[in-house]
Amino acid sequence: MSRRGRTLWLVGLLLALVVAGGVSWYASSSPDGLEHAAEQAGFSHRAEDSATADSPFADYLVDGEENRLSAGVAGVVGVVVTLGLAGSVTWVVRRRSTSSGRR
Amino acid sequence: MHVPDGFLDPATSLTTGVLAAGTVALALKRARTELDDRTAPLAGLTAAFVFAGQMVNFPIAAGTSGHLIGAVLTAVLVGPWTAVLCMTAVLLVQAVLFADGGLTALGTNITLMGLLAVVVGYGVFRGLAAVLPRTRAGVLTATGGAAFLSVPAAALAFVLLFALGGTVDVPVGTVASAMAGVHLLIGLGEAAITVAVVGAVLAVRPDLVHGARGLRTAATLEDRRPTAAGAAR
């Protein structure tokens, strides 16, 4: 990666970590569009708990603890895991560069 | 927008699951044309960024909130096939680790946000980009329009799925009218965030933006062949 490309990548990652680990604490907790519509149309009672509801990171908190640290850690974990998963899949399926001078 | 378990019957969930799996399998092959040593790192980062963005629900009217989907953001930045893979990764992590979106509804959520929002959004983007000037402003206008429409499109697709396989017998018009207004508003937020992010990347590395390849070609031709470009003027 070029130097400018690396800078862009690092700034982007930092931004994602700050958003998920810090800004998300201030997110609106009102029902989202689908939840709102489900209440209005009368089918919200059919929502079931996910099979993963006992996950230590369920609801974007660590062990369900509602504080800034717990939410921040959950957000950072999510960014890192998503980056690892999507990053490795896209890296594996990419076109390998054929020109010998590129690396 | 994340559909929980229990809203759709097993047959519908299974159908969307098969559709999602088939699309992801196809995307694993086709994304190759969009990804190389330069763009693959941006794809992973974009997925991580979309995960972060989806955590931040913004308030909209009447005690309701919405959050970024990120399908158009990803498709314009790294290409539509890669966007299918990135959105799937985000939705998988959310469902498995964070209990956001049901496990049996994972195929539905991938179909709505990872497939339909990408196909409709990227289609609208290409359509608008074809008629708008090939400038940065043109690309961003097409991006904003596509991002805006991708949200009500995904919402409408949910309405159709619920009409086909909803677990409660609610008239389709009731579901549609409950979904429409809020998701039009959420679409405005989607457009604002998407234009801001794509605009920022375009400003520093336009060559990395999949949806701006037309611009890149023009710039590259001028950079590499100043005499030919000069002679053509």
Side-chain angles (χ1 to χ4, degrees), chain B residues 89-175:
Chain B
V90 170
L91 293 163
L92 183 67
V93 170
Q94 288 170 331
V96 171
L97 219 48
F98 298 95
D100 188 12
L103 272 191
T104 64
L106 181 59
T108 300
N109 283 316
I110 293 174
T111 300
L112 294 177
M113 289 180 270
L115 169 56
L116 195 111
V118 170
V119 169
V120 172
Y122 194 71
V124 170
F125 170 77
R126 288 296 294 268
L128 288 175
V131 295
L132 286 165
R134 291 195 161 197
T135 59
R136 195 174 288 179
V139 169
L140 287 178
T141 306
T143 301
F148 168 68
L149 282 175
S150 70
V151 179
L156 184 65
F158 172 79
V159 173
L160 292 178
L161 285 179
F162 197 82
L164 292 171
T167 50
V168 182
D169 202 6
V170 182
V172 62
T174 308
V175 183

Side-chain angles (χ1 to χ4, degrees), chain A residues 31 48 52 55 60 94-95, chain B residues 1 5 33 37 65 95 97 100:
Chain A
E48 294 166 11
T52 60
S55 155
Y60 301 92
R94 82 191 191 283
R95 282 193 313 279
Chain B
M1 170 74 65
D5 290 330
T33 58
D37 289 357
S65 73
L97 219 48
D100 188 12

Side-chain angles (χ1 to χ4, degrees), chain A residues 1-2 4-5 8-9 12-13 15-16 19-20 23-24 26-34 36-38 40-53 55 57-60 71 74-75 77-79 81-83 85-87 89-91 93-97 102-103, chain B residues 1-7 28 32-38 40-45 47-49 51-53 55-59 62-65 82 85 89-90 92-101 103 158 162 167-168 170 174-175 178-179 182-183 186 201 204-205 208:
Chain A
M1 223 188 294
S2 71
R4 245 180 127 191
L8 172 72
W9 198 87
L13 178 61
L15 201 59
V19 169
V23 178
S24 65
Y26 301 96
S28 166
S29 53
S30 299
D32 76 6
L34 177 61
H36 170 84
Q40 281 215 319
F43 60 90
S44 60
H45 62 283
R46 294 307 298 252
E48 294 166 11
D49 260 358
S50 166
T52 60
S55 155
F57 297 111
D59 296 329
Y60 301 92
V77 166
V79 166
V81 173
T82 306
L83 179 67
L85 178 62
V89 169
T90 51
W91 186 251
V93 303
R94 82 191 191 283
R95 282 193 313 279
R96 307 298 199 270
S97 97
R102 284 272 321 256
R103 292 203 186 179
Chain B
M1 170 74 65
H2 292 63
V3 179
D5 290 330
F7 276 6
L28 281 169
R32 190 178 154 76
T33 58
E34 299 165 352
L35 294 165
D36 57 27
D37 289 357
R38 285 178 332 120
L42 183 65
L45 175 64
F49 192 88
F51 174 87
M55 282 184 75
V56 185
N57 281 57
F58 46 85
T64 309
S65 73
T82 307
L85 299 180
V90 170
L92 183 67
V93 170
Q94 288 170 331
V96 171
L97 219 48
F98 298 95
D100 188 12
L103 272 191
F158 172 79
F162 197 82
T167 50
V168 182
V170 182
T174 308
V175 183
M179 289 289 280
V182 279
H183 286 96
I186 296 171
V201 180
V204 286
R205 286 299 300 270
L208 284 182

